[in-house]
Amino acid sequence: MSGDGHTGLPPASRSALEPWPDTVDWRPISRDLIWVELIRLGIGLAVALVVLGVAWALSGHWLLGAAVGVALLIGVWRAITIVRAVRAWGYAERDDDLLVRHGLLVRRLSIVPYSRMQFVDVSAGPLERAFDLATVQLHTAAAASDARVPGLRPAEASRLRDRLTALGEDRAEGL
């Protein structure tokens, strides 16, 4: 193996294929988002298991019993992926744009130029508020390019919202 010791490619070639540049100072999101997502999963799984369990008890059909087992297996698999997925989230503020990364199997890197932002909002549902978290949502003219940064402390979410709004206004004046 040459280069970086991981892929056999020289470092320059590997970085061209890597969706998350190493040259960026990535900021992680709060690990408390893991608990929020696990609780959401637990609620959804509980509802599904109750429905399947009642249907199985009423009908006695073995297929519904198998569905209960499959639902439990999917729940365990999803719980494991939630932990890894939350750790994959990150964001970086650069001079001209904001980078947001996430994803495990399919890694996604969103680059949102400050000049393209139309507005930025901060939201926090009941579970997020219980864990003192908020989500920053960036809106651009193209809906497909909207990005969000979940799992931020409210003070950081407000700071990021204010900074992005100010930078967006400054960059938009130059157009």
Side-chain angles (χ1 to χ4, degrees):
M1 284 196 171
S2 64
D4 65 1
H6 296 292
T7 61
L9 296 173
S13 298
R14 189 182 70 78
S15 65
L17 299 172
E18 180 65 39
W20 298 346
D22 293 332
T23 57
V24 175
D25 183 25
W26 292 106
R27 298 181 76 167
I29 62 172
S30 173
R31 300 292 186 243
D32 287 345
L33 186 61
I34 292 170
W35 292 109
V36 171
E37 294 300 326
L38 287 175
I39 291 170
R40 285 182 184 151
L41 172 66
I43 291 169
L45 188 59
V47 169
L49 289 174
V50 166
V51 169
L52 287 170
V54 168
W56 185 24
L58 293 175
S59 73
H61 196 280
W62 69 270
L63 200 53
L64 289 168
V68 168
V70 168
L72 285 170
L73 285 174
I74 290 172
V76 169
W77 173 80
R78 182 65 188 127
I80 292 167
T81 61
I82 283 172
V83 173
R84 294 191 62 216
V86 168
R87 290 183 179 153
W89 274 96
Y91 67 101
E93 300 169 65
R94 297 196 304 184
D95 291 339
D96 296 317
D97 49 32
L98 178 77
L99 291 99
V100 180
R101 71 175 190 189
H102 62 96
L104 293 173
L105 186 58
V106 177
R107 293 182 174 184
R108 182 173 181 148
L109 174 64
S110 298
I111 302 172
V112 182
Y114 299 133
S115 62
R116 301 286 185 196
M117 285 188 282
Q118 292 186 326
F119 67 97
V120 180
D121 70 68
V122 176
S123 64
L127 271 176
E128 289 173 311
R129 286 193 310 271
F131 285 87
D132 196 33
L133 297 175
T135 297
V136 172
Q137 178 79 41
L138 297 97
H139 299 274
T140 62
S145 66
D146 289 357
R148 70 183 183 98
V149 183
L152 298 176
R153 296 289 173 209
E156 173 62 7
S158 294
R159 184 205 64 81
L160 185 60
R161 178 201 59 215
D162 294 346
R163 182 169 189 278
L164 295 175
T165 301
L167 287 168
E169 289 172 356
D170 289 347
R171 301 303 194 279
E173 289 175 3
L175 294 179

